[in-house]
DNA sequence: CGAACCCCTCTCGTCGACGTGAGGGTTCAC
DNA sequence: GTGAACCCTCACGTCGACGAGAGGGGTTCG
């Protein structure tokens, strides 16, 4: 798959895809003419990356945890030394904190919307 | 409360606090000498803001939803016109998408950690 | 053959969220 | 009353995540 197609498939700009490669997030191989050649399933990886960037994770951290997010296919832990596990666990905690923050605020918005809609209904 | 104290209390830099004011996220009043005077509870608001910024929300959106996050105290919906409710609902959906993304990835890390630790245990 | 449409690299610009002084007033302890 | 520790307002610098364009090559269609 060439970069343009991947871009259309994911809604991520060509420039951004090249940037992700620069940052080591994704590694397409190259065709004879120098064109990037993305493998099957690259679109899911890109959506994954986009989601995490939207959630405020810097590319450095995404690069670090991406190997462990590829699903149960390769759950064979690649060289799990203890410090590395600690680091992954720390990132897990970071994600957890973000989740708690977002959930709290989503719930607050829900409560507001509920109250506002009831108020609107009562006024009719 | 002066800005330095609030900074120490929240771990947010003085510069960032001034920036939040610039962006209309928080409105301290001023003492006679021109010093910002933050009210009781400002620290919680600041932590709120920090959390959302860490989660990738731009200040513009935080400014929009902040009025509806202040807890059940003022659940009296301030002027809820229909389009505004739609916009709040849309922001709610945005939060929800981010949450789903983070939860999926946190779970993936959990699965990895579990497998890795089991592997480590089995090898001893 | 040439025009249209891909793709490449490189470089400079931009935007949000601050960091970092410069230059100057305030308050408090001694 | 002076030095240290705050505070203020500009204003410029920075860093990450791209946008936008220059300059050039590949391929496909009529």
């Amino acid at each position: 798959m060439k970069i343009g197609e991947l871009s259309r498939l994911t809604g991520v700009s060509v420039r951004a895809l090249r940037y992700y490669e620069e940052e080591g997030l994704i590694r397409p191989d190259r065709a004879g003419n120098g064109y990037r050649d993305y493998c099957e399933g690259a679109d899911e990886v890109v959506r994954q990356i986009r989601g995490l960037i939207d959630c405020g994770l810097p590319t450095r951290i995404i690069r670090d945890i991406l190997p462990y997010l590829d699903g149960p296919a390769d759950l064979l832990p690649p060289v799990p030394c203890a410090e590395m596990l600690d680091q992954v666990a720390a990132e897990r905690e970071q994600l957890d904190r973000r989740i708690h923050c977002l959930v709290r605020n989503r719930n607050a918005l829900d409560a507001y919307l509920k109250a506002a809609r009831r108020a609107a209904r009562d006024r009719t």
Side-chain angles (χ1 to χ4, degrees), chain A:
Chain A
M1 177 169 23
K2 287 191 288 182
I3 199 171
E5 191 183 346
L6 183 58
S7 173
R8 278 187 300 274
L9 218 58
T10 57
V12 173
S13 78
V14 168
R15 175 67 174 93
L17 292 174
R18 295 208 189 98
Y19 176 69
Y20 297 159
E21 182 180 1
E22 247 182 76
E23 295 296 302
L25 300 183
I26 192 169
R27 254 172 243 289
D29 32 327
R30 299 296 180 122
N33 50 12
Y35 288 13
R36 273 162 257 255
D37 183 21
Y38 292 91
C39 65
E40 182 75 8
D43 57 329
E44 264 317 306
V45 177
V46 168
R47 268 186 279 268
Q48 181 77 279
I49 294 172
R50 277 302 314 172
L52 291 173
I53 286 183
D54 285 345
C55 288
L57 280 84
T59 58
R60 193 198 129 271
I61 292 186
I62 299 180
R63 180 177 49 229
D64 289 351
I65 66 178
L66 210 47
Y68 317 120
L69 298 179
D70 289 7
D74 39 27
L75 262 188
L76 325 152
V79 206
C81 75
E83 339 163 7
M84 203 254 292
L85 283 186
D86 286 357
Q87 192 210 332
V88 172
E91 292 304 339
R92 189 224 108 99
E93 293 309 311
Q94 274 283 352
L95 291 191
D96 212 52
R97 274 192 290 277
R98 286 170 203 254
I99 289 170
H100 282 35
C101 171
L102 289 177
V103 165
R104 263 212 342 267
N105 288 297
R106 184 195 55 183
N107 291 347
L109 287 189
D110 279 346
Y112 169 77
L113 285 171
K114 199 172 152 194
R117 283 173 178 145
R118 193 177 41 218
R121 182 158 30 80
D122 288 357
R123 223 181 313 156
T124 58

